[in-house]
Amino acid sequence: MDKCKSCGSQAINPGKHGRDLTSDLDLCDVCAWRKRAEDFSNQTVEMGKLLDGYSSENEKLLKIVDGYAIQNAKLSKLVEEATEKIKSWTK
Ligand SMILES: [Zn+2]
């Protein structure tokens, strides 16, 4: 019987304990799951990095949007002022 390359255990049971039959056949059940968990955690870290990237992009976009909003508010005020002026002319 094969031994786990990581811990030496002989508890290598592909297809049992939720293991599939194809991956990590040189690892025991415990180490195979641990590896899966580590892979998943690495993926989570990578996802986190990607999300950080997106959020800094997002912050840039938000600043641009804020800029537009400020300009828009200024324009609205100008339009209001102009409207008031026009009203006062027609009185
Ligand atoms: Zn092991």
Side-chain angles (χ1 to χ4, degrees), residues 44-56:
T44 306
V45 169
E46 288 303 312
M47 284 283 279
K49 281 180 194 166
L50 274 177
L51 284 174
D52 281 350
Y54 282 127
S55 80
S56 66

Side-chain angles (χ1 to χ4, degrees), residues 10 24 31 43 51 54 57 71 73 83 88 91:
Q10 293 184 338
D24 301 322
C31 291
Q43 280 177 4
L51 284 174
Y54 282 127
E57 280 300 306
Q71 278 185 344
T83 308
S88 71
K91 268 177 193 168

Side-chain angles (χ1 to χ4, degrees), residues 29-91:
D29 302 336
V30 172
C31 291
W33 274 110
R34 183 178 295 135
K35 181 171 175 274
R36 263 202 188 179
E38 282 169 3
D39 286 350
F40 183 72
S41 135
N42 286 338
Q43 280 177 4
T44 306
V45 169
E46 288 303 312
M47 284 283 279
K49 281 180 194 166
L50 274 177
L51 284 174
D52 281 350
Y54 282 127
S55 80
S56 66
E57 280 300 306
N58 211 22
E59 273 170 31
K60 280 182 209 163
L61 281 173
L62 280 176
K63 273 182 191 164
I64 293 170
V65 168
D66 279 349
Y68 281 127
I70 289 167
Q71 278 185 344
N72 210 21
K74 281 181 190 167
L75 275 174
S76 294
K77 260 190 186 167
L78 279 175
V79 169
E80 259 176 49
E81 283 171 18
T83 308
E84 289 302 311
K85 264 185 190 161
I86 291 168
K87 271 186 195 169
S88 71
W89 294 338
T90 53
K91 268 177 193 168

Side-chain angles (χ1 to χ4, degrees), residues 3-12 26-32 34:
K3 284 183 178 180
C4 171
K5 70 173 180 183
S6 177
C7 72
S9 164
Q10 293 184 338
I12 300 177
D26 46 1
L27 291 174
C28 72
D29 302 336
V30 172
C31 291
R34 183 178 295 135

